[in-house]
Amino acid sequence: MFARPMSSLEPTTTPSTSPVTAASPTPLPAGPAPSWLTTLSRPGPALLLLLLIAGLLLFPGLSSFGLWDPHEVRLLEGASEPIPLADLWKPGSAIKPRLPMVPIKLGLKLLGPGELGARLPMAICGLLLLAVMILHGTLSGRVRAALLGGLLLLTTPMLFLGARQASLHLLPMIAQLLTVTGLLGLTWPRPGRTIFDRVLGLFLTALGLPLGLLSTGSLIGIVVPSLSVGIALTLCEGPLLGELLAAALTGLGLIMPVRQLLVTVQVRSSLLLIAAGVLLVVGLVGTLRSRRPIWLASSILAIGLFPALPTSLHGYSGWLAGVPHWPAHREVQADSLLKTLGFVLFPWVALVPAALAQVFADSPSNGLSNEVTDEPNDSLGRDRFTQVLLLSWLAVGYTLHTLQTALVQEAAFAAIPALTLLMGVYLDRLLSGHKPSLAAVVSTGILAVFIARDFFFGPEQYLSAQLTELLKWPAVQTGTDPLISQGGQILSTVGVVVAMLFALGMYVGKPRAVALLPASALLLSLFAIHGLLPAVTRHVSYRGIYTKYEKLGGGALGLFGVQRSSARIYGQNSVEIPSLDELFKFLTKTSDKRSFAIVGAGEMAALDVHSFSHNLPYYVVDDSNSQFLLLSSQLGPGEKDLNPLRRLVSTTPPKPQVETHITFDDKVELIGYDIPTEVQRGSEFVIRLHFRVIQPVGGNYRVFLHFDGTGSRINGDHIPLGGKYPTNYWTTGQFITDEHRMTTSRLNQSAGYYQVFTGFWPGGDAARMRVTQGPHEPDNRVRLSAIRVK
């Protein structure tokens, strides 16, 4: 049935007439390679160098910044619960796999609840992932490319953030990389190292498969690595016994998840039998015609579909690593993962087009042949196989990850090592003296600039790589914490500089110039680790608040609108307060001792209205966190009230630059505004609108700001006071100063004069609040002064 006997385990070195194996890679430049490049081609020095750089990047200051809430706090809460062995397969009270929680649980058990206990296991997992990268390079004969791929992965947010915070995506990546590496050695071992590679491959596969199954399910943990290896062996005409093993694993890995998905879809039994029969025939005919055993995966799956399906599924499925549902998520599209990869692999994602193009450029001009020869050329065929394997791994992983996300739940992309290893191969070519094409240089620079530009509008995308949800970028007051308030502009600028260094290093093309790529990526990583990360943490962690609470002497501590888990983690005694009445009773229950309360920033509007209506004072003694505030019943010596609403909400009339008398719906009067006369493109400026509340608004309106220029508009719609004081809390007799920060873009806005309009809008298609007194436009917009954008 096959072109050579199944007992032919070892490919010989006899030249092959196959177009695939006959094509040789682009020759290297004449002359010996630099000694340091030769040294880095050995596994020992490569591993030591990579682990040294990783240690310097991942471990310093690991516990110096607080736990993120809710992201890390939620994981610590889950890890604090018992995890029986049975829960690793089917959790009793969870919808996600429990195995990725085990490293965090071990860290908490050994080091106690806190930053070090939660993060040290992740840093160790990061080192393990990089070590397996070098192991993959050893078995594939591309140690230096694996070193570069590991350095590349290390300097992306996906790894240096995931390894410095409690996260769940490193173990699935380790599992998939272990399985692919094991199957590489098992199915096509290196000449002269056959027994060693097969024994090592068997061990790695036996370790990676169960880890993958328990952490990501069968589709991602078994099918992705086995199908990737099978496809690569087919395209490169590798050993048939290895391809048969990959086909068997693929077919067996598909049976249970496909059966459970068919139950969810509620497919009819008659259709199932027809489909199983078609798959069986397709598998057998494909095997006979192509003489490649990868087609047997279809027949194995078909055999597994013939038994009757159960009537229903009961909750969590270990085979799918979650709870399947139908119909699929509509927001998940075929290209949904591309945007995420662009952000979590910045800046190295800019090399993806050039690296992928190089793989196809190395392909034989007459394409891949289906002809099977008796003796494939091992030195060229296996080298080609290791590169095609990365490409097939990336393609299969992308496809099944998208399917898993759509039908089950959001999960981290476990095939990222395939992409970084591909780019490592490309960087290795550059270090070896290959000159990149001008198209590669231009595409790299342009792609990096485009992604860096996106950070201007969404810097949270860069720091969300380790999360399964998007980080909410902190909203800070104007003039405070510039690294946060101008984070998008700063990160975008740094990203553009890195993009230019990337393009410069590729354009020069010399090995020392190519070093600009990892050097610039390393600097960006250090800026994120020791700059952006601590700055954001100040606003998404309770740690700073508890530190301030202790410095102020401690005392009774209440929590209002705040999870109590943070208090347990930081070892504080606290009381959960259910209502505003109880909060003020708690703050004033003793006159001789100070009481404190941590309050969510979103509760401040209701709290301030209650204080204003009942004449009950309170004081903010710590406002360093934009999401949580520390209140006290009294101020100590030298302390000031840091309430952000005191400056913007009062009973004293403000003094605007321009006075007006315009009434909206006989409820709110615009008494004036402060608007600069001119601003620079790309700069930040502040607009203040001053209102007097005549009677309660009775609805939640947005304040809209339209900057209308020639053929363009700058939009500034927002919830008043940065979301801290919505209109449904505005109370009769109050004066509200709505301070809104705007930024103009050099890319999207042209210079010129812009007329400013404002008003109140409830959102959607609902009507704007009517202007009942004062000059206004027919569409209930109020014209303010003009502003010049230079």
Side-chain angles (χ1 to χ4, degrees), residues 339-668:
K339 180 179 179 181
T340 301
L341 289 177
F343 291 129
V344 304
L345 292 180
F346 185 82
W348 292 104
V349 69
L351 281 181
V352 171
L356 293 180
Q358 188 61 58
V359 174
F360 291 103
D362 287 343
S363 299
S365 58
N366 55 346
L368 294 175
S369 170
N370 288 328
E371 178 185 356
V372 181
T373 60
D374 291 333
E375 297 175 333
N377 186 314
D378 184 68
S379 60
L380 296 179
R382 189 179 187 279
D383 181 73
R384 183 66 183 152
F385 163 70
T386 59
Q387 194 167 5
V388 173
L389 171 60
L390 299 178
L391 192 61
S392 64
W393 180 11
L394 176 61
V396 174
Y398 186 99
T399 302
L400 292 187
H401 172 87
T402 303
L403 179 66
Q404 174 94 1
T405 300
L407 296 176
V408 185
Q409 62 190 0
E410 183 65 36
F413 185 49
I416 279 182
L419 192 54
T420 58
L421 285 168
L422 272 172
M423 289 185 282
V425 172
Y426 182 73
L427 281 180
D428 188 36
R429 292 175 59 88
L430 299 185
L431 284 177
S432 300
H434 291 267
K435 185 77 172 179
S437 66
L438 182 60
V441 174
V442 173
S443 68
T444 298
I446 291 177
L447 181 57
V449 168
F450 278 172
I451 297 176
R453 170 189 174 275
D454 289 338
F455 290 138
F456 182 90
F457 302 100
E460 65 277 359
Q461 300 280 359
Y462 186 70
L463 295 186
S464 297
Q466 77 282 20
L467 310 175
T468 55
E469 55 190 303
L470 194 64
L471 168 71
K472 182 180 179 181
W473 192 261
V476 301
Q477 296 181 22
T478 304
T480 64
D481 210 341
L483 199 56
I484 297 298
S485 62
Q486 302 178 26
Q489 183 175 352
I490 294 173
L491 183 57
S492 180
T493 302
V494 174
V496 169
V497 172
V498 170
M500 291 189 295
L501 291 175
F502 262 47
L504 177 63
M506 293 182 63
Y507 179 76
V508 175
K510 296 180 180 179
R512 291 184 179 180
V514 174
L516 281 174
L517 279 71
S520 58
L522 185 61
L523 290 176
L524 178 59
S525 304
L526 291 171
F527 166 69
I529 289 173
H530 300 292
L532 281 179
L533 196 60
V536 171
T537 300
R538 286 195 295 269
H539 298 276
V540 295
S541 173
Y542 296 108
R543 175 169 165 171
I545 297 179
Y546 283 111
T547 302
K548 183 62 178 274
Y549 161 74
E550 292 175 347
K551 287 182 178 179
L552 294 177
L557 178 64
L559 302 177
F560 181 69
V562 173
Q563 295 182 12
R564 194 176 181 182
S565 56
S566 64
R568 289 196 295 267
I569 290 172
Y570 287 108
Q572 305 291 345
N573 295 320
S574 60
V575 177
E576 289 187 274
I577 301 174
S579 67
L580 287 171
D581 284 330
E582 294 296 325
L583 173 61
F584 281 97
K585 288 179 181 178
F586 178 84
L587 289 175
T588 59
K589 65 180 179 180
T590 57
S591 58
D592 56 336
K593 292 183 180 180
R594 295 182 76 178
S595 298
F596 295 88
I598 299 177
V599 178
E603 307 291 340
M604 286 300 295
L607 189 151
D608 205 66
V609 169
H610 190 90
S611 171
F612 178 80
S613 302
H614 296 81
N615 194 25
L616 296 172
Y618 71 95
Y619 305 96
V620 176
V621 293
D622 183 61
D623 66 342
S624 60
N625 192 307
S626 64
Q627 299 192 49
F628 315 105
L629 299 171
L630 180 64
L631 311 185
S632 179
S633 56
Q634 53 188 287
L635 291 174
E639 294 178 1
K640 296 180 180 180
D641 186 5
L642 303 176
N643 192 337
L645 300 179
R646 288 290 174 262
R647 183 173 57 88
L648 304 174
V649 180
S650 71
T651 56
T652 303
K655 296 180 180 180
Q657 292 177 355
V658 180
E659 292 187 3
T660 61
H661 297 282
I662 301 172
T663 305
F664 295 88
D665 209 14
D666 296 327
K667 296 178 180 179
V668 178

Side-chain angles (χ1 to χ4, degrees), residues 201-215:
L202 180 62
F203 171 76
L204 296 178
T205 304
L207 181 61
L209 283 176
L211 285 178
L213 178 62
L214 292 175
S215 60

